Amino acid sequence: LCYSPSPPPSKSFLQHAEPFACGGSAAILASCVIHPIDLAKVRMQIYGQLNPGKPVPGFPTIISGMIKNDGVTSVYKGLDAAIGRQMVYGTARIGLHRTFSDYLVRRNNNQPLNFGVKTLSGMASGATAVCIGTPFDIALVRLQSDSMAEPSQRRNYKNVFDALIRTAKEEGFGALYKGLAPNIFRGMSMNVGMLACYDQAKELVGSINNDPLLKKKTTQMGASCIAGFTAALFSLPFDLIKSRLMSQRPSPSGSLPYSGIADCGVKILRADGLRGLYAGFSAYYGRCAPHAMIILMSIESITQKYRE
């Protein structure tokens, strides 16, 4: 990332906590800003499941329809779950990637890491973070998609904690980890696309921008735009499958629409073709790009304030 290396192991607890505290704060800030886009993205993904065969409406149609039907505040439905998710998942994935990368740099005699090693760090930190944060992801998806269901089928959760408690009580504790496998793949691909590709893109943009120290804001902005695109490109198919698995409801006979990752992916391909796996790409990229830019460009300022 764009800030200085982590303190060595002999430093204090607060210094060791720095990448987690600063990374989590940047992730929460970014989620608060882009939440309406994220909400529209989830609804575009779920629309095909609830309305098979119908064309998926675009981002402006989704947002304007929500405001018209439920008021302006409806575009922030599930914000508490989004914040809770970033406090856990965002903090872990950014903090662990920074910690893993710094450790590997020290093992590499303080020399820059190649892209393969950066990729492994991103995959490991992303997978670990997902295992910790999936329950909040379940709550977020359900809160965001609940009003799309028929009134008789709505769960009507009051807030994120009500969603977590009721899900565990009504469906068993394992339901909080529904869709874990695609979520792990999504977390790994997201971290590689956002963090590892950002590190690599920053070196490329810096060489073009005559910025050998990689400190210019234009270098960071250009690299974060690239990272936003690669994060969306790598992770959207897994994000789509994850959303559908997490939001699915049992039929009257008790069976679920999808039995797992492969079944969900095959059914999407059969119904909508390859384009179906990239349904809502415009909204998803519109989420990933500003989300990545806000995190990657704000984290250095947050780190400076933290050290003060």
Side-chain angles (χ1 to χ4, degrees), residues 51-131:
N51 303 276
K54 294 184 179 180
V56 178
F59 169 71
T61 304
I62 291 283
I63 291 295
S64 61
M66 290 179 60
I67 294 175
K68 181 180 178 180
N69 296 328
D70 302 310
V72 176
T73 57
S74 65
V75 300
Y76 275 92
K77 179 72 173 178
L79 179 61
D80 55 346
I83 292 174
R85 177 177 179 268
Q86 292 302 336
M87 289 176 66
V88 179
Y89 169 69
T91 297
R93 79 181 181 96
I94 296 172
L96 287 173
H97 177 72
R98 167 83 184 282
T99 301
F100 291 165
S101 295
D102 289 347
Y103 172 76
L104 292 170
V105 166
R106 290 195 294 269
R107 288 291 300 270
N108 198 37
N109 297 318
N110 292 319
Q111 297 300 310
L113 303 174
N114 61 48
F115 183 68
V117 176
K118 294 173 185 174
T119 297
L120 290 175
S121 173
M123 292 173 67
S125 54
T128 304
V130 165
C131 291

Side-chain angles (χ1 to χ4, degrees), residues 179-259:
L180 177 62
N183 209 13
I184 288 175
F185 284 117
R186 177 195 177 276
M188 293 168 66
S189 57
M190 176 65 75
N191 249 26
V192 171
M194 178 179 165
L195 300 178
C197 287
Y198 173 76
D199 290 343
Q200 200 71 20
K202 192 168 62 172
E203 296 174 9
L204 174 63
V205 175
S207 65
I208 297 173
N209 200 29
N210 193 26
D211 181 20
L213 297 179
L214 309 179
K215 294 294 186 181
K216 292 182 179 179
K217 291 295 183 184
T218 51
T219 298
Q220 297 170 12
M221 183 175 294
S224 64
C225 285
I226 294 172
F229 177 78
T230 53
L233 183 67
F234 294 173
S235 65
L236 179 54
F238 300 111
D239 189 77
L240 174 63
I241 292 172
K242 176 211 72 172
S243 293
R244 293 202 175 184
L245 288 175
M246 286 182 172
S247 64
Q248 64 180 336
R249 302 167 183 271
S251 67
S253 64
S255 62
L256 291 171
Y258 308 113
S259 60

Side-chain angles (χ1 to χ4, degrees), residues 8-40:
S10 59
K11 298 290 183 170
S12 70
F13 170 78
L14 289 178
Q15 289 170 311
H16 285 303
E18 177 184 295
F20 297 92
C22 298
S25 298
I28 291 170
L29 171 64
S31 282
C32 289
V33 173
I34 60 88
H35 187 77
I37 301 174
D38 190 49
L39 176 59

